[in-house]
Amino acid sequence: MNTTPQLHIRKLQNAATDLPLAQKLIDEMDTFTSDEKLVAMELICKAIADEENKPETPPDYLVFAAFIGETNETMVGHICYGETPMTHKTFDLYWLTTHPRYRKQGVAKALMERMFEDLRSREARLIRTETAGAALYQGTRQFYQRVGMIEEATIKDFYSLGDDLSIFTYRF
Ligand SMILES: CC(C)(COP(=O)(O)OP(=O)(O)OC[C@H]1O[C@@H](n2cnc3c(N)ncnc32)[C@H](O)[C@@H]1OP(=O)(O)O)[C@@H](O)C(=O)NCCC(=O)NCCS
């Protein structure tokens, strides 16, 4: 695996400057449907709005993004997660992206490590994420295993006949 030089990870918190960069990243994702892109952007917008308007309140959604470039102007990936309502210290990983041009260079692994670090400080117990069993997501399932998540459950034919739902977990 190559390593992306000068990767910089930070929380998204400024709608004026961060949203256009996030929109470009999401627009250029190759595996998401247009509906998925809308939902991914909706959660990014909500996370930034919470940061801007009520920084003292525990947010429903947290978003970190990875940047490269001299002035960190290119957003090459993002991770979005939040505490699962009505649980004790269980979190959901909702979205994880690496721009198609920057894959297999450690971007998503670095984003996961940033999330783990943040969640340790929040005394998280468990992370859950869901992904599809379709061939398109085989690489994603392998990725989750590489970063220490376990495929804990499967629901057969969840998305459509032959397309299962896989639930991956990580325990602290
Ligand atoms: C899944 C995804 C986020 C991985 O991002 P990435 O930046 O390429 O991953 P990394 O470079 O950090 O890879 C970390 C490890 O996983 C492995 N890995 C990553 N993608 C893989 C793939 N498609 N197949 C097999 N292994 C893979 C890497 O080889 C690496 O292993 P190593 O630690 O042994 O070297 C990226 O492929 C992506 O954006 N996919 C489309 C969106 C998606 O599925 N998101 C998740 C659900 S919302």
Side-chain angles (χ1 to χ4, degrees):
M1 184 172 77
N2 304 321
T3 306
T4 303
Q6 298 166 326
L7 193 65
H8 172 70
I9 294 179
R10 66 167 172 81
K11 195 180 270 186
L12 295 189
Q13 47 199 9
N14 183 317
T17 53
D18 289 338
L19 274 182
L21 302 175
Q23 186 72 62
K24 184 168 183 333
L25 167 68
I26 298 298
D27 283 347
E28 292 178 6
M29 282 298 289
D30 51 352
T31 55
F32 293 165
T33 63
S34 48
D35 280 352
E36 288 169 338
K37 289 180 180 184
L38 281 177
V39 178
M41 274 313 292
E42 197 181 311
L43 297 201
I44 293 172
C45 291
K46 186 151 187 350
I48 295 177
D50 283 351
E51 280 289 333
E52 286 187 330
N53 302 327
K54 34 183 187 172
E56 304 312 320
T57 314
D60 292 332
Y61 303 104
L62 290 134
V63 177
F64 283 87
F67 295 85
I68 56 161
E70 291 286 304
T71 52
N72 294 321
E73 70 284 2
T74 306
M75 195 185 289
V76 295
H78 93 295
I79 191 163
C80 174
Y81 56 95
E83 190 157 1
T84 311
M86 292 176 284
T87 66
H88 180 245
K89 303 283 184 190
T90 292
F91 286 73
D92 266 299
L93 166 56
Y94 295 112
W95 295 95
L96 175 66
T97 61
T98 297
H99 187 284
R101 269 204 302 282
Y102 296 93
R103 294 205 179 131
K104 301 265 187 91
Q105 298 174 56
V107 172
K109 191 174 182 177
L111 285 163
M112 291 287 290
E113 280 164 4
R114 188 68 188 78
M115 176 185 71
F116 290 145
E117 182 187 321
D118 178 54
L119 289 185
R120 267 186 211 102
S121 75
R122 295 173 193 274
E123 299 178 339
R125 266 188 325 107
L126 177 65
I127 306 174
R128 169 185 69 169
T129 196
E130 297 178 351
T131 194
L136 182 64
Y137 283 94
Q138 189 186 358
T140 301
R141 294 191 299 277
Q142 286 176 327
F143 167 82
Y144 284 137
Q145 281 160 350
R146 290 298 308 152
V147 295
M149 298 193 81
I150 288 169
E151 189 169 15
E152 188 155 323
T154 303
I155 303 177
K156 295 274 173 215
D157 302 326
F158 181 83
Y159 292 105
S160 62
L161 270 181
D163 189 4
D164 304 342
L165 167 74
S166 289
I167 301 171
F168 283 82
T169 58
Y170 180 93
R171 286 164 203 278
F172 286 87

